[in-house]
Amino acid sequence: MAEGLLARCRTIVGDAHVITDAATMAPFMADWRGRYSGRGLAVVLPLNTAQVAAIVAACAAAHVPIVPQGGRTGLVMGSVPDTSGAAIVLSLRRVNRIRSIDSLNRTMTVEAGCILADVQAAAGEAGMLYPLSLAAEGSCTIGGNLSTNAGGTAVLRYGNTRELCLGLEVVNAQGEVWDGLRGLRKDNTGYALRELFIGAEGTLGVITAAVLKLYPAPRAALTALVALDSPRQAVELLGLLQARCGAALTGFELMSAFCLELVAAQFPDLPRPFEDCHPQYALVELSSNESDAHAHGLLESSIGEALEAGVALDAVVATSNKQALDLWRLREHIPLAQAAAGKNIKHDISLAVSRIPDFIARADAALQQAFPGCQPVTFGHLGDGNLHYNVAPPAGESHEAFLGHQAAVNRIVHDLVADCGGSISAEHGIGMLKREELARYKSPVELGMMRAIKAALDPLGIMNPGKIL
Ligand code: FAD
């Protein structure tokens, strides 16, 4: 049976694009964080939508599961197979053409395997902006971004990937092609199928192409780092900047002092913007479609007002592109510094922005009581209510040993998130990693509707089995 399917796959995509030897398959099986490796029957690399459809139809006929894979930068073990060795990994890497750019409609149509950075660059060459931006942008793909509804650093102004997509082309679980590549901003013609596939983590079908929204490229962008005494002050500063700057406020990231200490220890060459250490920091980005002078005026007057009103302790405004990049590098190096220092217990949560200070205070206190000396590594896209609330062991203790407390730490953090009306996955998704947590925190009604959708669209259960549900 397997040999027959593999022979069919070779006919569809060519011998060179069906990988079956273990060593060549290994990188496609490994989770980005290196915590897990699955096993697969083969890795298949189609070139276009027709080949994807033919492969899916062949797998459906043989009842063989499919794991769609993009850049494999997902953080919840969604794009790697389980250890049964039964599934085909369908890598979209070669399905990577930019099909068209429509400047007047402000859209671009791209294939799922396009790397995010390449899409940003193509939009830039056309004088426009594709605003999705995240630290994995050099490796992650548009198909992966859509399937995880990725967030990133510009959600505050432009929304998640869902808000950046006007149309999809999808190969369904039967191997049929749904051409929903409409670049329409209004289309009320029944069920919103597009929305089902976005964020579905490959469990309902394979996204092969998308129509993405483009925006005018801002004429000026300014970055500032603001020192704060507490998360509450960060939320107050966010409110003040939103009131003063409106849509010009495009980024607002929170970083605790401990995060910047980690970065300073692991990356001593990065700048230290303040001589003194402060409890919290906000990285603020302002964009203007008018001019540099407009952006400067707005940022400086707003931060001046925040300092006078006691909503900030100190601030550094970048005066060159290099300084702005350096400030962003502090934020982007936090995950790298964490990884270099040792493994942490990670959470990607969201809450109403107003509830974040209370959540941080309660979670810090509960963890100190349960694990005295443990070190919360708290940072994230505060403007979107999204925190990466990670927990490192007490100084001097083994990171590996501390991972043994993962279940207990998760329970403390996720119970509090639920109590505060938040979500246990803000932007990374569920994959295999948070499947049990999802079952615990979603209501039976919600889980029942999700299962009904899955059963209707994928009755054989071949699309990325074991993920989400
Ligand atoms: P993969 O990891 O290959 O796949 C992710 C999921 O999508 C899997 O379930 C897979 O089966 C499915 N999938 C992939 N392609 C398709 C397709 N064509 N059709 C159907 N299903 C498909 N995420 C954020 O949201 N915000 C961040 O700020 C952020 N920062 C990150 C920083 C770093 C350093 C890293 C490593 C990751 C970060 N991520 C972030 C997570 C990750 O980059 C995103 O989830 C990204 O969107 C995944 O894209 P990918 O192409 O790598 O997808």
PDB file of all heavy atoms in Angstrom, residues 33 176 184 281 426:
ATOM      1  N   ARG A  33      12.055  23.938  18.261  1.00  0.00           N
ATOM      2  CA  ARG A  33      12.753  24.128  19.533  1.00  0.00           C
ATOM      3  C   ARG A  33      13.621  22.933  19.910  1.00  0.00           C
ATOM      4  O   ARG A  33      14.218  22.914  20.984  1.00  0.00           O
ATOM      5  CB  ARG A  33      11.724  24.359  20.655  1.00  0.00           C
ATOM      6  CG  ARG A  33      11.138  25.762  20.624  1.00  0.00           C
ATOM      7  CD  ARG A  33      10.215  25.974  21.802  1.00  0.00           C
ATOM      8  NE  ARG A  33       9.752  27.340  21.858  1.00  0.00           N
ATOM      9  CZ  ARG A  33       8.542  27.687  22.285  1.00  0.00           C
ATOM     10  NH1 ARG A  33       7.685  26.765  22.683  1.00  0.00           N
ATOM     11  NH2 ARG A  33       8.185  28.949  22.331  1.00  0.00           N
ATOM     12  N   GLU A 176      -9.687  18.337  -3.801  1.00  0.00           N
ATOM     13  CA  GLU A 176     -10.293  19.300  -4.736  1.00  0.00           C
ATOM     14  C   GLU A 176      -9.715  20.687  -4.451  1.00  0.00           C
ATOM     15  O   GLU A 176      -9.402  21.006  -3.300  1.00  0.00           O
ATOM     16  CB  GLU A 176     -11.807  19.370  -4.538  1.00  0.00           C
ATOM     17  CG  GLU A 176     -12.520  18.045  -4.753  1.00  0.00           C
ATOM     18  CD  GLU A 176     -13.906  18.035  -4.124  1.00  0.00           C
ATOM     19  OE1 GLU A 176     -14.106  18.632  -3.049  1.00  0.00           O
ATOM     20  OE2 GLU A 176     -14.798  17.412  -4.719  1.00  0.00           O
ATOM     21  N   LEU A 184     -11.609  40.883  -2.585  1.00  0.00           N
ATOM     22  CA  LEU A 184     -12.727  41.779  -2.259  1.00  0.00           C
ATOM     23  C   LEU A 184     -12.685  42.173  -0.787  1.00  0.00           C
ATOM     24  O   LEU A 184     -12.433  41.342   0.073  1.00  0.00           O
ATOM     25  CB  LEU A 184     -14.061  41.081  -2.545  1.00  0.00           C
ATOM     26  CG  LEU A 184     -14.243  40.548  -3.971  1.00  0.00           C
ATOM     27  CD1 LEU A 184     -15.559  39.797  -4.089  1.00  0.00           C
ATOM     28  CD2 LEU A 184     -14.183  41.696  -4.963  1.00  0.00           C
ATOM     29  N   TYR A 281      10.134  47.896  30.784  1.00  0.00           N
ATOM     30  CA  TYR A 281      10.422  48.767  29.639  1.00  0.00           C
ATOM     31  C   TYR A 281       9.340  48.565  28.580  1.00  0.00           C
ATOM     32  O   TYR A 281       8.852  47.444  28.379  1.00  0.00           O
ATOM     33  CB  TYR A 281      11.780  48.412  29.007  1.00  0.00           C
ATOM     34  CG  TYR A 281      12.925  48.556  29.970  1.00  0.00           C
ATOM     35  CD1 TYR A 281      13.319  47.487  30.766  1.00  0.00           C
ATOM     36  CD2 TYR A 281      13.596  49.770  30.105  1.00  0.00           C
ATOM     37  CE1 TYR A 281      14.357  47.611  31.679  1.00  0.00           C
ATOM     38  CE2 TYR A 281      14.644  49.912  31.008  1.00  0.00           C
ATOM     39  CZ  TYR A 281      15.014  48.827  31.802  1.00  0.00           C
ATOM     40  OH  TYR A 281      16.044  48.969  32.695  1.00  0.00           O
ATOM     41  N   ALA A 426      -2.245  32.807  22.440  1.00  0.00           N
ATOM     42  CA  ALA A 426      -2.547  34.091  21.799  1.00  0.00           C
ATOM     43  C   ALA A 426      -2.221  34.051  20.319  1.00  0.00           C
ATOM     44  O   ALA A 426      -3.010  34.484  19.496  1.00  0.00           O
ATOM     45  CB  ALA A 426      -1.760  35.201  22.471  1.00  0.00           C
TER      46      ALA A 426
END
